[in-house]
Amino acid sequence: MAVTPAKTTADAAPTAATYRSEHQRDVINRLKRIEGQVRGLIDMVESGRPCEDVAQQMSAARKAMDKAFYRMMACSVMEAVSGSESEVDTFREVERSTRILEKYA
């Protein structure tokens, strides 16, 4: 007789709270890295680094902010889909997230 291993929490489907918590950690980590990039940019400007070097790092920081924003918005959409009680509510919440994207992206 084969023994089936017990399911662990890693095997279970993630709950909305777990998903949100993981996204929050991810976004916070991204923002902390961006914070370091911005401090580095200040140091570059203060030390008189060439404009092209500074521009390259500014571009990297801007792209990192965009990625953090989109990651946060993904969480918003996932919450809209998982937390809705009806299809109408789902569409309404996804539309709300879409309006946020249109406004700030």
Side-chain angles (χ1 to χ4, degrees):
M1 178 163 113
V3 176
T4 306
K7 282 196 170 203
T8 63
T9 55
D11 295 334
T15 64
T18 301
Y19 188 79
R20 180 181 180 88
S21 176
E22 289 173 3
H23 263 75
Q24 283 177 330
R25 267 193 316 274
D26 180 51
V27 169
I28 288 168
N29 288 337
R30 288 171 186 267
L31 291 172
K32 287 180 179 182
R33 282 192 300 272
I34 294 164
E35 181 181 33
Q37 285 179 297
V38 171
R39 275 195 233 103
L41 277 163
I42 292 168
D43 291 343
M44 289 176 77
V45 172
E46 289 177 342
S47 67
R49 295 281 299 272
C51 291
E52 186 172 355
D53 292 351
V54 175
Q56 181 181 19
Q57 290 306 309
M58 282 183 172
S59 176
R62 188 177 62 244
K63 287 177 185 176
M65 279 295 291
D66 286 344
K67 287 180 182 180
F69 173 77
Y70 289 120
R71 185 72 172 153
M72 183 214 46
M73 288 307 302
C75 183
S76 173
V77 172
M78 290 301 292
E79 285 179 343
V81 172
S82 68
S84 297
E85 295 180 15
S86 70
E87 190 172 306
V88 172
D89 287 342
T90 300
F91 284 119
R92 186 177 298 124
E93 289 302 312
V94 170
E95 179 62 30
R96 182 180 144 304
S97 293
T98 302
R99 282 193 305 275
I100 293 169
L101 279 169
E102 289 171 345
K103 185 174 183 177
Y104 296 111

